[in-house]
Amino acid sequence: MTYKQDTSISVKELENLHTAGAGYDILRYVSLPELLGKESHTLLYFMGRKLARKFHKETTEDIVHIFAHLGWGNLELVKLKKKEMTFQLMADSVVQRLKAPFPADFRLEAGFLAESLQQIQKRECECIESIHSRIHQVEFKVIFSQ
């Protein structure tokens, strides 16, 4: 199967993908930051935004579904304001990443969430993530500029 750059990925196609998480985590949190260097924080955010453009999404539920199937965790909308949305990310996989011997970040997920909501809401936005290590939870605050 060849992959074309402009090909869109449906949410349903994710259900056919299965992988063990340890290899992914090592690549994600050890190899990629070494490869990307000091700009890895920024580059991962924009990689997430670019990745989001590959998926066809119509609703926030589609984003939640994608997060779950990519193994990123259970994404839940906890606060909705006119110019801001707050999400929480929780799962056993999130707990394990936060307990890992290497620093875990969620910049890729933040970029993915920002771009996905920007596409759905048709409003420019950015996403800031906060890691709450004590309760093993990640919070994403999406801020709309309009």
Side-chain angles (χ1 to χ4, degrees):
M1 179 174 142
T2 56
Y3 176 75
K4 297 179 183 172
Q5 289 290 341
D6 59 350
T7 302
S8 173
I9 302 167
S10 77
V11 174
K12 295 290 182 202
E13 289 174 310
L14 284 179
E15 294 172 12
N16 296 327
L17 299 174
H18 300 281
T19 185
Y24 167 82
D25 288 346
I26 293 297
L27 288 172
R28 166 80 186 279
Y29 299 113
V30 178
S31 295
L32 265 178
E34 285 180 8
L35 178 68
L36 300 174
K38 62 183 177 181
E39 298 299 325
S40 68
H41 203 67
T42 303
L43 291 172
L44 285 168
Y45 181 81
F46 285 103
M47 284 173 65
R49 288 193 78 118
K50 184 150 179 84
L51 180 62
R53 294 181 195 122
K54 301 288 182 188
F55 286 91
H56 176 74
K57 304 163 294 304
E58 295 179 2
T59 65
T60 305
E61 289 78 25
D62 288 340
I63 301 169
V64 169
H65 185 78
I66 291 168
F67 263 69
H69 275 80
L70 290 178
W72 289 348
N74 303 319
L75 186 68
E76 181 182 348
L77 176 63
V78 293
K79 195 182 299 182
L80 178 62
K81 295 182 180 177
K82 185 176 180 177
K83 290 191 170 193
E84 186 177 293
M85 296 174 84
T86 304
F87 292 84
Q88 290 177 344
L89 182 67
M90 296 179 286
D92 290 342
S93 61
V94 172
V95 172
Q96 294 306 317
R97 283 184 270 169
L98 293 174
K99 288 181 173 180
F102 43 79
D105 68 48
F106 296 84
R107 295 298 293 158
L108 185 76
E109 293 89 338
F112 187 95
L113 183 58
E115 185 66 29
S116 296
L117 287 169
Q118 186 168 309
Q119 290 174 340
I120 292 169
Q121 300 262 336
K122 309 281 191 253
R123 302 180 340 178
E124 299 234 354
C125 64
E126 294 296 329
C127 182
I128 301 164
E129 81 278 4
S130 304
I131 297 173
H132 304 288
S133 298
R134 187 177 54 79
I135 57 174
H136 307 294
Q137 174 185 312
V138 180
E139 181 179 276
F140 295 106
K141 193 167 290 226
V142 180
I143 301 163
F144 294 94
S145 59
Q146 309 168 10

